Amino acid sequence: MTIQEVRDLFPHINAGKIYFNNAATGAFSKKVLKIVDEYLLQRSETDIDNFEKFLKTMVETKVYLGKMLNCSAERIAFGDSTSNGMNILAQGLKWHKGNSILLNDLEFPANVYPFLNLEKEGVSVDFVKSKNGIVSAKDVISSIKPNTKLISISFVQFLTGYRVDLEKIGNVCRERGIIFSVDAIQGLGAFTIDVEKYKIDFIACGTAKWLLGMQGLAFIYISEKLQQILQPKYIGWLSVEDAWNLLDYNLKLKNTAEVFQGATINALGVFGLLPSLKLFADFGYKNVEERILENSIHFTNRLLELGIHPILEKCERENLSGIISFKHDKSNLILDELKKREIYCSVREGMVRLSPHFFNTLEEIDRVTEAIKNILHVS
């Protein structure tokens, strides 16, 4: 696919809007709208009980997610949110008084509260202190203690966009017998993750941001080794091996990740996610990544020309993502004025956060920086 063919799929682009807010919510393409219309037609008229089709679609969707993670479909289970995915991990492990969990002070709360909730069991939670908006792999590794049982970190930091070296952390975790968990929501879709190479034990990830899916659908990845010690705290009728032998009541649990996918899930969300995953595959995962990094580097340089200093202006390419953030005392004014020009971004913690996807262009970035220049009356 050419980039123009991709851009033609997004109604907001055809309507003249510049959407640089994928770190908040991803935009739907025509392919998603089409499959949603088809699903609604089925459920209302042509194939109301479309459960068999849903099962096939669910498996195919997991296969495509597996391509982005380098894992098999059976290592993936769907859920409703990153938060509840992290709760599966937090509540499923056997904790002992004195165990420690290592987080950092720039984590989104979805990757914090499920673990803070364990403090009442005698588990301590340590926070790596960020430096100039960055928590590096080196910072994390140097903060490990003898009693650290688990490290959980975002692949891409939601506020600054810093992309951490997962492989470096994963190698140390494997050497020291520490469970390695990743919140992937701000990175997957812009980048792929190799769970084998990075030695990741657990991932929780919503689909409504860079994956261009729907709110209310998320997934977890769990390694086979971790699943052997992770106790499912909530069991549903689909958690068992012989689920359709309805009156047998045999609690023989599945040995795949689907044991954590115990009942009805967001079927519409699964149908809607598949065309977005196919779009990434058709355009090429590496091509997606290259375009996102090219956009971020260009954006950073253009902002510097205005005298605006993005948080990650001095970062190496391997630590950049699709998020560009900067502090400004007129952040809310910039947000409001850009919106009047049909340019969309976010303000988080007083920072302007811009997050173009791979289908955005350098020309759009130039238009946005010119708009910011006019708003701030920069000469």
Side-chain angles (χ1 to χ4, degrees), residues 256-294:
T256 67
E258 280 198 4
V259 70
F260 300 100
Q261 187 182 301
T264 304
I265 62 171
N266 183 351
L268 182 58
V270 173
F271 273 89
L273 179 60
L274 182 57
S276 291
L277 299 183
K278 287 182 175 180
L279 178 61
F280 297 131
D282 290 344
F283 191 73
Y285 301 125
K286 270 298 176 186
N287 294 331
V288 170
E289 177 179 330
E290 287 301 315
R291 284 192 60 87
I292 284 176
L293 291 176
E294 181 184 16

Side-chain angles (χ1 to χ4, degrees), residues 18-37:
I18 297 180
Y19 190 77
F20 283 7
N21 202 23
N22 292 281
T25 308
F28 289 161
S29 71
K30 293 177 183 177
K31 289 180 177 288
V32 174
L33 299 180
K34 181 175 182 290
I35 203 167
V36 168
D37 285 343

Side-chain angles (χ1 to χ4, degrees), residues 174-185:
R174 187 62 54 87
E175 290 169 3
R176 303 188 189 183
I178 298 169
I179 297 166
F180 185 28
S181 164
V182 174
D183 176 347
I185 196 170

Side-chain angles (χ1 to χ4, degrees), residues 124-144:
S124 63
V125 180
D126 298 321
F127 289 88
V128 181
K129 186 170 178 56
S130 56
K131 302 170 185 175
N132 300 316
I134 293 172
V135 178
S136 69
K138 183 179 178 181
D139 295 331
V140 173
I141 292 166
S142 65
S143 300
I144 294 173

Side-chain angles (χ1 to χ4, degrees), residues 44-328:
S44 62
E45 181 181 346
T46 60
D47 188 16
I48 295 173
D49 184 14
N50 65 348
F51 188 67
E52 291 300 320
K53 182 172 179 58
F54 162 69
L55 290 179
K56 293 177 182 178
T57 301
M58 180 182 69
V59 171
E60 187 179 7
T61 305
K62 288 182 178 181
V63 168
Y64 272 91
L65 282 172
K67 291 178 181 180
M68 301 181 79
L69 298 172
N70 187 28
C71 72
S72 66
E74 68 178 15
R75 291 289 101 217
I76 295 170
F78 284 117
D80 63 355
S81 64
T82 304
S83 294
N84 282 336
M86 286 300 177
N87 273 305
I88 288 173
L89 176 64
Q91 295 300 317
L93 290 169
K94 187 174 182 180
W95 299 97
H96 300 284
K97 189 174 182 180
N99 286 156
S100 177
I101 297 168
L102 186 58
L103 308 175
N104 69 78
D105 65 0
L106 286 179
E107 279 299 329
F108 192 78
N111 195 29
V112 176
Y113 292 143
F115 301 112
L116 285 181
N117 193 37
L118 296 170
E119 288 184 323
K120 60 181 179 288
E121 298 180 25
V123 176
S124 63
V125 180
D126 298 321
F127 289 88
V128 181
K129 186 170 178 56
S130 56
K131 302 170 185 175
N132 300 316
I134 293 172
V135 178
S136 69
K138 183 179 178 181
D139 295 331
V140 173
I141 292 166
S142 65
S143 300
I144 294 173
K145 297 178 178 178
N147 62 338
T148 301
K149 179 171 180 172
L150 180 146
I151 294 174
S152 194
I153 192 168
S154 290
F155 177 27
V156 170
Q157 206 279 323
F158 83 100
L159 190 58
T160 67
Y162 183 82
R163 178 163 53 111
V164 74
D165 188 337
L166 295 177
E167 185 176 7
K168 188 175 289 186
I169 299 173
N171 284 336
V172 172
C173 285
R174 187 62 54 87
E175 290 169 3
R176 303 188 189 183
I178 298 169
I179 297 166
F180 185 28
S181 164
V182 174
D183 176 347
I185 196 170
Q186 292 292 2
L188 194 66
F191 307 92
T192 56
I193 296 176
D194 190 329
V195 295
E196 294 296 331
K197 184 178 180 181
Y198 302 163
K199 299 177 177 61
I200 296 171
D201 298 301
F202 189 88
I203 288 175
C205 184
T207 65
K209 299 183 187 294
W210 298 93
L211 286 170
L212 306 178
M214 294 187 181
Q215 292 164 326
L217 181 71
F219 70 88
I220 63 167
Y221 156 81
I222 180 170
S223 70
E224 190 172 355
K225 182 179 179 181
L226 178 61
Q227 187 168 347
Q228 292 173 2
I229 63 170
L230 194 68
Q231 179 66 35
K233 287 293 183 180
Y234 299 95
I235 299 297
W237 74 283
L238 292 175
S239 297
V240 300
E241 286 283 1
D242 194 13
W244 285 97
N245 193 353
L246 299 176
L247 298 181
D248 185 38
Y249 308 138
N250 183 358
L251 192 63
K252 183 181 180 182
L253 299 178
K254 292 177 178 176
N255 59 11
T256 67
E258 280 198 4
V259 70
F260 300 100
Q261 187 182 301
T264 304
I265 62 171
N266 183 351
L268 182 58
V270 173
F271 273 89
L273 179 60
L274 182 57
S276 291
L277 299 183
K278 287 182 175 180
L279 178 61
F280 297 131
D282 290 344
F283 191 73
Y285 301 125
K286 270 298 176 186
N287 294 331
V288 170
E289 177 179 330
E290 287 301 315
R291 284 192 60 87
I292 284 176
L293 291 176
E294 181 184 16
N295 282 344
S296 293
I297 292 169
H298 183 73
F299 217 153
T300 297
N301 290 334
R302 288 305 312 274
L303 289 169
L304 287 171
E305 291 172 7
L306 300 182
I308 294 173
H309 294 272
I311 302 298
L312 302 183
E313 63 172 301
K314 296 180 181 179
C315 270
E316 298 296 328
R317 180 185 176 92
E318 59 263 27
N319 298 124
L320 297 177
S321 69
I323 297 173
I324 304 96
S325 297
F326 61 88
K327 295 179 180 178
H328 203 283

Side-chain angles (χ1 to χ4, degrees), residues 20 299 303 322-326 338 345 352-356 368 372:
F20 283 7
F299 217 153
L303 289 169
I323 297 173
I324 304 96
S325 297
F326 61 88
L338 287 177
C345 61
V352 177
R353 187 182 69 180
L354 301 128
S355 49
V368 174
I372 293 173

